[in-house]
Amino acid sequence: MKRRIWTVLVTAVLTVLGLTSPVAHGRPAPEPGAAAEQVLTWTAGDDITRYTSAPATAVAGKATIVFENSEATGNTTAMPHTLTFDVSDPEYNNDVPLNILASPLDANGGRHTAEVTLTPGRYRYHCTIPGHGEMEGVLTVTDGGPGEDTTAPETSATVTGEKDGSGAYVGMATVTVTASDTGSGVDTIEYALGEGEFRPYTAPVMVHETGAHTVRYRATDRAGNTSAVKSVEFTVVAPPTGDTTAPETSAAVTGERNANGDYVGRAKVTVTAGDDDSGVERIEYSLDGGPYLAYTGPVTVDRPGRHTVAYRATDKAGNTSGAKQAAFTVVEGGGVPAPPCPEWDERPTVVVGTVDTGVPNRVTGNRCTINELIEDERDWASHALFRKHVREVTDDLSDEGVIDRRERKAVNKAAKRSGIGKPGQNQGYRDLFDGTRKSFDRWQHVGGGAFDLNDDGTITSSTAVPGMGMLWFPGRRYDDFSLRLQFRDDAPGTGRANSGVFVRFPYVHDHPEESRPEWVAIKYGHEVQILDRPDGDQYKTGSVYGFDRVGLGGAGVTEKGTWNEYEIRVVDQHYSVFRNGVLINEFDNVAGQEFSPPRADDPGTDGRRYASGHIGLQTHGTTDVISFRNIRIKEL
């Protein structure tokens, strides 16, 4: 009885956490002898580190998935498990959103089935119950059955570490080996130091011994094909010696402050260190008496209260500076989220450009101020066009009783004096795509899929060209910026579109680490997600994909077919995401953060901390139909 109550409680908790789905409560497995094109069986027991049994390969087409977690398969504790196909990682197939929860005490006795259609490629499966993360594996699906794979894996290796002027690695070098196989999948990777024996490769190889080195490597797939041996050569030298002086350190605290000198909402602590001898090896900090951690970027503190940040630095000769401290107080911030207005301007009077009209900057009926409706920050094509816009706005405000005739005249006079739109005064948001063929042709498509220009000045992802790809703006890189655009979910049927906006990625062609141009943006830039689907991928609209999740409740979901205003603001390494004028996410792109769920060759935030980069729009597939319009950017 206790076991049954415990299982019911766990199942309820998993339901709240979103770990169950309609598929999870499947019907019992078919009786022996029942017809099935292909039956694939997983079993589980008491172990929370692996499935008791699981298939390694399958053939593309219809299949019956059987998942059994019962006393017959070794479960003696009534422990529930799930069998979940991961649909969040582009490296694997994501067309089967399988999610089965099984327990020996459920209505089916822990034995469930699901009918699916598999496509060629690889499916990652895992158990989503907290603490069971090691239960995972890969199912390789071929289009003609096992035994047809005759091609060995592709392999590559990179050497990283600090270099001296001659290109030698100081103190140590790290060799990272990667392998891929589009057939049966990679089974093992091996490496060898010099002429030594090959060993299993399980993690990057760190070489500390000084001198010249060669690391050889190879990989074998599940069909038994082994790649040719490749190698990388490098030299390791000892760090400089004779330095007995510790580094010099300092810290600066920045942020918005009130009259008492307290920081409102958050404070940012930036630590610097210098060493004229051997050089700085590492910087560490301790927040509020906690353990010292590696300092990789400014520390943001947003919890109200009194705080201290202690910091120190160590040079390459091992000298550590004495700890110093920065003390400060953070108080709670306030305010109401901004309405979806063209601009944000709460100055007390209406100011057009630099001309102060003296007219009170009142809040209008749609919660936007007069200044915000004037849109003097926009990059107007001509002075005449701007003045026409101001006349239309003031006429409407006069009809609504927001301003009187004298005030309307004063605002229009200021618009004339401002000169906005004249040559040399176009300093607002610049159009990257304004709906014309000329602006559309400035963009370039890479990878799968496509975007088409519509007659109404919008672009829509293709329903005929398959694959994942990106439309990107190669014309220039942007440093700090505010990017504004509008998107609309046009997915067919009851589905919801999966797309995203890529920012801060390097030039996509001839990249030294990634040959696929669309993957340069995926691996070395940040994707700000667009996805209002209630199930599937956990990263919803506003998420910084792979690093900072926004749930469906915080994504500001609108009905399909609705135009949404998106603003992505990037200043230094701080990302802010606004949807329809509401801040839905903030993300600090500090170093050391890993991509989640893990991806073997992903560089994490360490590979994404560029000070400038390009802009791109993702197409995810023929059913993830997304439209964009009015794409504009302002440099900050």
Side-chain angles (χ1 to χ4, degrees):
M1 182 62 182
K2 289 183 179 180
R3 290 171 58 194
R4 179 173 294 276
I5 294 174
W6 181 82
T7 302
V8 171
L9 290 174
V10 170
T11 303
V13 171
L14 293 175
T15 302
V16 172
L17 293 175
L19 297 179
T20 65
S21 72
V23 179
H25 301 288
R27 62 184 182 279
E31 294 298 325
E37 296 188 21
Q38 184 176 202
V39 178
L40 304 172
T41 302
W42 281 257
T43 62
D46 292 338
D47 199 338
I48 63 172
T49 65
R50 64 182 182 87
Y51 291 93
T52 303
S53 65
T57 61
V59 180
K62 293 184 178 179
T64 298
I65 301 292
V66 178
F67 178 43
E68 183 172 356
N69 175 34
S70 67
E71 293 186 3
T73 61
N75 193 321
T76 64
T77 62
M79 172 71 71
H81 295 291
T82 76
L83 174 64
T84 305
F85 277 24
D86 184 1
V87 296
S88 65
D89 191 337
E91 183 178 342
Y92 299 98
N93 292 6
N94 57 20
D95 55 345
V96 178
L98 185 73
N99 192 23
I100 302 176
L101 172 67
S103 166
L105 300 182
D106 64 29
N108 294 334
R111 184 175 174 85
H112 300 260
T113 66
E115 304 297 329
V116 301
T117 300
L118 303 174
T119 56
R122 297 188 301 159
Y123 292 86
R124 176 180 176 266
Y125 59 85
H126 62 116
C127 180
T128 56
I129 295 178
H132 299 198
E134 295 182 62
M135 296 180 64
E136 62 178 359
V138 174
L139 175 68
T140 300
V141 178
T142 62
D143 56 6
E148 294 189 354
D149 182 6
T150 60
T151 303
E154 294 290 332
T155 59
S156 63
T158 57
V159 185
T160 56
E162 180 188 355
K163 292 184 178 182
D164 62 13
S166 64
Y169 292 87
V170 179
M172 66 169 289
T174 300
V175 181
T176 302
V177 182
T178 59
S180 62
D181 189 275
T182 57
S184 58
V186 176
D187 186 29
T188 60
I189 303 175
E190 298 173 295
Y191 78 97
L193 293 174
E195 296 302 319
E197 296 182 357
F198 277 96
R199 310 174 186 175
Y201 175 88
T202 58
V205 180
M206 293 181 287
V207 180
H208 296 83
E209 184 179 352
T210 59
H213 297 277
T214 300
V215 172
R216 297 177 293 129
Y217 56 95
R218 65 189 182 190
T220 303
D221 62 21
R222 292 188 177 90
N225 304 299
T226 301
S227 65
V229 176
K230 296 181 181 179
S231 64
V232 289
E233 298 179 352
F234 54 92
T235 300
V236 177
V237 296
T241 59
D243 180 7
T244 60
T245 304
E248 292 291 331
T249 59
S250 62
V253 184
T254 57
E256 179 188 351
R257 306 180 75 172
N258 61 19
N260 296 324
D262 300 329
Y263 291 87
V264 180
R266 64 177 59 204
K268 183 168 71 173
V269 183
T270 303
V271 181
T272 57
D275 189 277
D276 294 331
D277 296 322
S278 59
V280 175
E281 171 71 22
R282 64 181 182 274
I283 303 175
E284 299 170 301
Y285 76 96
S286 165
L287 176 61
D288 295 332
Y292 274 94
L293 305 173
Y295 175 87
T296 57
V299 179
T300 299
V301 182
D302 56 8
R303 184 182 296 276
R306 185 68 176 172
H307 299 280
T308 58
V309 172
Y311 54 94
R312 64 190 184 191
T314 302
D315 62 21
K316 293 182 174 66
N319 304 299
T320 300
S321 63
K324 297 180 181 179
Q325 283 191 345
F328 52 91
T329 298
V330 176
V331 296
E332 291 186 356
V336 178
C341 306
E343 297 177 355
W344 174 259
D345 194 334
E346 291 188 331
R347 288 176 289 183
T349 58
V350 177
V351 181
V352 185
T354 60
V355 181
D356 192 340
T357 67
V359 175
N361 186 28
R362 303 183 182 98
V363 176
T364 64
N366 62 359
R367 293 180 58 232
C368 298
T369 68
I370 299 174
N371 268 337
E372 290 163 352
L373 298 179
I374 293 297
E375 293 187 76
D376 60 353
E377 290 184 2
R378 181 176 162 188
D379 193 19
W380 292 93
S382 71
H383 184 52
L385 186 62
F386 174 68
R387 291 184 61 191
K388 178 176 181 293
H389 166 73
V390 174
R391 284 196 300 271
E392 292 173 348
V393 170
T394 54
D395 286 348
D396 290 340
L397 295 178
S398 178
D399 292 342
E400 296 167 7
V402 177
I403 58 176
D404 58 27
R405 293 179 60 186
R406 181 192 63 80
E407 292 170 332
R408 180 179 62 178
K409 183 177 180 180
V411 174
N412 280 279
K413 184 178 179 180
K416 180 179 180 180
R417 291 175 55 197
S418 71
I420 292 175
K422 291 183 178 180
Q425 298 195 39
N426 302 56
Q427 299 177 354
Y429 282 88
R430 297 183 181 274
D431 290 324
L432 297 182
F433 171 70
D434 61 6
T436 64
R437 168 60 64 177
K438 181 178 180 180
S439 68
F440 182 64
D441 288 343
R442 296 168 64 196
W443 295 68
Q444 181 185 107
H445 196 91
V446 292
F451 277 95
D452 299 315
L453 178 64
N454 304 314
D455 293 337
D456 62 355
T458 63
I459 54 175
T460 303
S461 60
S462 174
T463 59
V465 182
M468 182 178 66
M470 176 184 66
L471 185 70
W472 72 296
F473 190 79
R476 61 165 296 181
R477 298 159 63 103
Y478 291 93
D479 301 330
D480 294 347
F481 61 86
S482 168
L483 175 68
R484 289 184 174 179
L485 54 84
Q486 292 175 315
F487 70 89
R488 185 179 65 193
D489 184 342
D490 291 330
T494 59
R496 298 303 297 252
N498 187 338
S499 182
V501 181
F502 291 105
V503 296
R504 283 272 180 95
F505 58 88
Y507 191 77
V508 301
H509 297 295
D510 302 320
H511 192 277
E513 302 293 337
E514 178 53 66
S515 61
R516 299 165 295 179
E518 70 277 17
W519 275 85
V520 172
I522 293 172
K523 292 168 59 176
Y524 300 99
H526 275 305
E527 177 189 355
V528 181
Q529 175 82 315
I530 297 176
L531 178 62
D532 287 340
R533 178 175 170 174
D535 57 357
D537 202 314
Q538 297 182 41
Y539 289 96
K540 308 303 181 183
T541 301
S543 300
V544 178
Y545 198 85
F547 298 96
D548 193 7
R549 287 192 178 102
V550 173
L552 203 65
V557 175
T558 60
E559 292 184 0
K560 199 163 60 172
T562 302
W563 283 107
N564 290 262
E565 180 82 12
Y566 222 7
E567 180 187 4
I568 302 168
R569 189 178 301 165
V570 183
V571 178
D572 193 10
Q573 295 297 328
H574 184 74
Y575 290 64
S576 303
V577 183
F578 299 80
R579 180 176 186 172
N580 296 325
V582 177
L583 178 65
I584 60 175
N585 194 18
E586 289 187 279
F587 171 67
D588 286 305
N589 188 36
V590 299
Q593 300 180 66
E594 296 182 353
F595 189 95
S596 178
R599 193 160 55 200
D601 61 345
D602 193 280
T605 53
D606 289 346
R608 291 177 166 89
R609 303 188 72 246
Y610 292 98
S612 65
H614 292 280
I615 306 295
L617 308 173
Q618 185 187 56
T619 172
H620 207 269
T622 54
T623 59
D624 292 303
V625 184
I626 189 80
S627 296
F628 294 97
R629 70 180 184 187
N630 197 20
I631 305 171
R632 55 208 188 277
I633 195 166
K634 178 179 180 179
E635 296 178 88
L636 303 176

